[in-house]
Amino acid sequence: MRTETPPLIRLEEYRPSDYLIDRVDLDIRLDPHATRIDATLALRPNPAGRAGAPLHLDGDDLRLVSVALDGAALAADAYTATPSGFGLHAPPGQPFSLRLVTEIDPTANTKLMGLYRSNGVYCTQCEADGFRRITYFLDRPDVMAVYTTRIEADRAEAPVLLGNGNLVESGSAGTDRHFAIWHDPHPKPAYLFALVGGRLGQVETRFTTMEGRAVTCAVYVEPGKEDRAGYALDAVIRSMRWDETAFGRPYDLDAFNVVAVSDFNMGAMENKGLNIFNDKYVLASPETATDGDYAAIEAIIAHEYFHNWSGNRVTCRDWFQLCLKEGLTVFRDQEFSSDMRSRPVHRIAEVRSLRARQFPEDAGPLRHPVRPRAYAEINNFYTATVYDKGAEIVRMLRTLIGADAFRAGMDRYFADNDGRAATVEDFLAAFAAVTGRDLSAFARWYERPGTPRLTATMAYDPAASRCTLRFTQSLPGEGGRDTPPLVIPVALGLVGAAGPLSGATCPDVRDGIFVLDRAEAEIVFDGVTEEPVPSLMRDFSAPVRLDLALTDAQRMRLLAQDSDPFNRWQAAQDVALRLILEPDPARAYAFAEALGRFLDSEALSDPAFAALVLALPSEGEAADALLSDVDPDAIHRARFALRAHLGQVLRPRLERLDAALAAADDAAYSPDAASAGRRSLRNAALDLIAAGDPETGASRAADRLARATNMTDRLAALGILALIPGQAREEALAGFAERFADEPLVLDKWFAIQAQIPEPGTLDRIARLKAHPAFTMTNPNRVRAVVGSFAFGNPTQFARADGAGFSLVADTVAALDSANPQVAARLLTAFGSWRRLEKSRAAKAGEMLNRIKAIPGLSRDSADIVARTLG
Ligand code: ARG
Ligand code: ZN
């Protein structure tokens, strides 16, 4: 049997459910292999649905034990039950109750969707459609019900029992068993259902909301790891406070629980009142977590908490509207992190990640609109486009209407849609209502796939003190003048030899923004007394690729003089990127000198920013800048050579900086942004020194490793050493593995560093890593650390000319696909840019994709990705 291309579900075919469910009463008896779910659903015909239609409930891998309608057993010919659905042929025309008892095996659930066990802890993941693996249900987000959940379990096996909402009762249920009843008063879709049962330790604290509600906030972790849960708990409290101040959104239950589990397909999940997390985004101590981990924990805790309003109180009508909750919530977590840390530094990090993940996605066969119009498998649409480009759309909206109108529009959106399942149209309608604006042209951002190109040119007329900027927008793959234009906010300024030209004026620019809403436009600045350098797309004001031909000298003026930190950083990136694509020793030297002047004047006043300026565009970004014929080896060599050159020219300065920063480094570790910034600059300096002089680099890195008092410095040093072949590297790796042998999350870092070594020997190394006792194919974090890091973070070896790198990833996908299709399908997306590779590599990748396509019984998840990738 050959895998068919899976059928599509289409937005235009949406229709309301024929039935609604108002209340759900669950009695769940946890058992490792035979968990019983006794569900009573209060159903009624939906006035907006088809009267008298048969009732079909979704199911996935279910076994029906019994069924009753309004308390009476059903005749065998009145219904149909299969593992994948339950049908009631002639439902009553008025409200009725359906009691369904199902039985499932949580231990055998390797897909990690529905109810499963992670390290012996019972937990759930229901988004997008896992609830149907627990009981038969109308598993769609526009069916919202009030849930009461009784959980019963063996007291020794699961002393902690958690559910959605508030705890209403608990007690013993016979000698060895106990129970807890949780009630969630807020109607919610099934994807927000959750329960947890297990042996867990906890840290907790109180928070009083702006409405005076006392909330108990707790973070549950593996017993013995409570001392690593404090940072996450603190982030919960800061998130609660911030959402009140920034958006006026208070919490709405008496309890807010976060649970860390070790086997989790994604980052975390916003179940109502009971967020479940991949433990990697909860557990942190200075010895085990890097500054980057702390920042990620803060951001993801905030993200899931913010969903309580943007996602839970206001949810999505259907999965096509996923960006409605995800794009908006990413925007909200980005704003939170920017307020907690350095705003410009955080903005640069956001854009780097957008360019690394979303731009290639948008330029390849997996591209899709922020609001897709069709899908075969919704779990494949939790993408960088939906999340990160979705967040950029919200950001542009704020830029266009201004911060005050944006806040008013958000208030309106929450007020108008509270308790509802909404659409992108509902979201935009709130902003149209408060501003009186027509946002229909802006709405095109949700519909158009692809990264727009914005081409700009400047003409200067000294006699008239006049400067003209000409803009053209185009969307790749979309032809010509008939495509309606996008609305692009262009934040801009003109920069003279000594800084921004404040006297220049342009009637088309308001508050530093020109709104380009036509295919082409020309704007004129007067009072321009010297030839300026245009600074365009300041703060990355829209997710576009900017084409603006500037000389290196002009860009270095922006680095030195622009008032916009993002464009200062961007200017250095642009010069570096060109030097990677077109190496030129003389220009490289001038670039190094300019960086040197920059470091001298301000590295110590903003180390985090300086570290970002020193970090060259990644190999992936260089590949993304080329439209075709990508040779990852050539890119790697060129980038490596530029790093070496910078390291040599800048060495004395880098050493001075390192020494100056070392002095501030004596205090105890703190994850705050300023301390993290100092560490990042020191490590960036050492990285460049090592690139310029590997021998010195190896010994300094070994020294830093030996003296390290925290994971940030330890891992940075190990990463530097990993790029320098030799005995020192192997000893350092072995020492690290021994020291952290009992720390799976730390070993993931060790796995990832090695999987990314850009050497042919990495393939054999990966074979050894897969045989390491800590490695297992059943844990998504382990698979991602070894194979994911290789596929997404080792361009030269993944795309080896002999095809062996593709083969390694394909083998893993094949081995994983039936056990955990979601993780397998995610790995497969690494092939997304295959057609842009030079011909012989592309041919090997194509062969491999066809091999996967031919696997009998391939999951819908993987079949969908392969079909679209092959196009
Ligand atoms: N809503 C979760 C988050 O914040 C992601 C859940 C995705 N899960 C999945 N199986 N597709 O962002
Ligand atoms: Zn989310």
Side-chain angles (χ1 to χ4, degrees), residues 270 303 307 326 387:
E270 70 265 25
H303 179 97
H307 268 314
E326 295 303 347
Y387 276 65

